[in-house]
Amino acid sequence: MSAVLSRDSQVRSMENTVANAEKHFGPFCALLASYTRKTARLRDKADQLVKQLIDFANTESPTLRTAVRDLAEDLAKVQDYRQAEVERLEAKVVSPLKLYGAQIKRTRAEIKKCKRVQKNEIKQLQKLEKLRQRSPSDRQMIVSFLAAGAGRLGRASLPRESHGLVVGSSVQAESHAQRASVDTSRTTHQLEETVDAFQEQKLRDLQRIFLDFVSIEMVFHAKAVEVYSHAFQTLERYDVEGDLQDFRDKLHGVCGQGKTQPLNKTGGSLSAPWALVNQSVQSPLQSQRKEEAASKSDPAEDDPLEDLGGQGQGHQN
């Protein structure tokens, strides 16, 4: 009976191992599948952001347009890496975890089979124990009968009234109990090998799956940091003050053109009074210049001192 209890304890330990794997691997699979789906949704949102940035850049100044387009291109590169991340997570992390559902079911079926065999063994032992309790004196006869064989022991050596009990009940119960014990030992050994293989595969798969997970995330983030560094440098080189000054210059230029355009349209009518004033100011000067030119051309008017000198000489004579 101690062997039965030992095997039962062994089966319970193996059952707990499988139950523990089922308890935790299911949430692992669900959470990592959700992680992958949300990463894909993040990729989709980032693609929408890239499109919005390009639409915005087309409406801005050339300097800002270049900076925003470079940023959009870098973000698009990151989303390409994120797409590769999603595909690798699905193939190397989520899919292997999904396979554990079927594997755990198969192992549980083996455990149930072993437990049925164990129950049958216990049942046969209980029957045998009941027969022993009914007729304790037949125990020695049963052992002698099984040891020496029914042919050599002979029917005469057994009491006539106990012959049917020994051969028909006790011997049969003992034989069934022995077969049940052998079946239980064999099934338990097979289950032990199955659970041992399951545990070994579980540990190796757990290591490989999470190594792949960490590796995939490291590769993505390393490439993302490289691209984001370039995007950071692009935005840092963007000249905000220069672009703002260009905007102000254009704004003031448009406002100045708006104020001078009415003067240009009426410039012809306003220039006439100023022309008349200039003519009125310049006409006396022009007449004075004409008179000076005429005086230079007249000899009598050119040298009045000579005339006065000649007149003086005449009076003296």
Side-chain angles (χ1 to χ4, degrees):
M1 199 68 182
S2 60
V4 175
L5 295 176
S6 176
R7 284 195 293 266
D8 183 68
S9 176
Q10 188 178 10
V11 171
R12 286 182 184 276
S13 176
M14 291 185 286
E15 186 177 18
N16 289 335
T17 299
V18 177
N20 186 62
E22 184 178 20
K23 177 181 177 181
H24 294 287
F25 272 61
F28 283 159
C29 183
L31 289 172
L32 287 169
S34 177
Y35 181 93
T36 304
R37 289 193 301 270
K38 289 183 178 181
T39 303
R41 284 200 292 269
L42 178 61
R43 173 207 59 203
D44 295 339
K45 292 297 181 182
D47 288 338
Q48 295 178 10
L49 176 60
V50 169
K51 183 178 182 300
Q52 191 67 32
L53 285 172
I54 293 174
D55 293 341
F56 169 73
N58 292 332
T59 63
E60 291 297 322
S61 63
T63 306
L64 181 59
R65 182 186 306 125
T66 301
V68 174
R69 281 185 175 177
D70 290 343
L71 173 62
E73 289 179 1
D74 289 337
L75 289 179
K77 288 180 182 178
V78 173
Q79 304 326 305
D80 292 338
Y81 295 140
R82 203 184 298 278
Q83 173 63 24
E85 176 195 12
V86 170
E87 293 175 355
R88 290 170 182 170
L89 286 173
E90 183 66 31
K92 294 187 175 183
V93 177
V94 178
S95 295
L97 285 173
K98 288 180 179 178
L99 298 177
Y100 262 85
Q103 188 169 1
I104 289 173
K105 286 182 180 180
R106 289 194 298 268
T107 308
R108 276 194 170 280
E110 293 293 329
I111 292 174
K112 288 181 179 179
K113 178 182 176 181
C114 183
K115 292 177 75 172
R116 285 196 302 267
V117 173
Q118 277 188 331
K119 287 181 180 180
N120 183 54
E121 180 189 16
I122 294 172
K123 183 179 178 181
Q124 296 299 328
L125 290 175
Q126 288 175 348
K127 286 183 179 180
L128 180 61
E129 189 64 24
K130 287 180 180 179
L131 290 174
R132 288 173 180 173
Q133 291 176 358
R134 288 177 184 175
S135 54
S137 60
D138 293 339
R139 172 61 182 167
Q140 185 63 36
M141 289 186 293
I142 295 170
V143 173
S144 300
F145 180 82
L146 293 174
R152 288 190 296 169
L153 189 61
R155 290 176 178 267
S157 62
L158 293 176
R160 186 177 299 273
E161 61 274 8
S162 63
H163 178 268
L165 175 63
V166 173
V167 178
S169 297
S170 298
V171 176
Q172 186 177 7
E174 187 81 18
S175 176
H176 288 171
Q178 288 179 356
R179 285 198 300 267
S181 179
V182 171
D183 290 341
T184 303
S185 298
R186 184 180 65 253
T187 305
T188 303
H189 181 69
Q190 292 175 352
L191 180 62
E192 183 180 356
E193 292 179 349
T194 301
V195 174
D196 183 77
F198 171 82
Q199 181 71 3
E200 181 181 3
Q201 185 177 359
K202 182 192 77 172
L203 296 177
R204 294 186 184 279
D205 288 347
L206 191 69
Q207 180 189 34
R208 179 178 54 81
I209 287 170
F210 281 99
L211 276 175
D212 288 339
F213 174 77
V214 174
S215 176
I216 290 167
E217 292 299 306
M218 285 176 59
V219 170
F220 166 73
H221 287 291
K223 291 185 176 295
V225 166
E226 181 181 354
V227 177
Y228 280 134
S229 299
H230 180 265
F232 181 85
Q233 294 173 1
T234 299
L235 292 173
E236 198 173 35
R237 287 195 302 266
Y238 169 62
D239 187 8
V240 177
E241 296 298 331
D243 208 352
L244 183 60
Q245 187 61 41
D246 291 342
F247 170 76
R248 289 170 178 171
D249 292 342
K250 291 179 181 178
L251 183 63
H252 293 162
V254 170
C255 293
Q257 291 178 2
K259 293 178 181 179
T260 57
Q261 281 178 357
L263 296 177
N264 292 334
K265 292 180 180 179
T266 58
S269 61
L270 292 176
S271 62
W274 290 104
L276 293 176
V277 172
N278 291 333
Q279 290 178 2
S280 62
V281 173
Q282 292 176 358
S283 58
L285 297 175
Q286 291 178 355
S287 59
Q288 184 178 356
R289 290 193 189 98
K290 290 179 181 180
E291 289 177 357
E292 289 177 355
S295 63
K296 288 181 182 180
S297 60
D298 190 356
E301 294 177 357
D302 289 341
D303 196 1
L305 294 176
E306 292 180 357
D307 294 340
L308 291 175
Q311 292 178 1
Q313 291 177 1
H315 290 297
Q316 292 176 0
N317 290 333

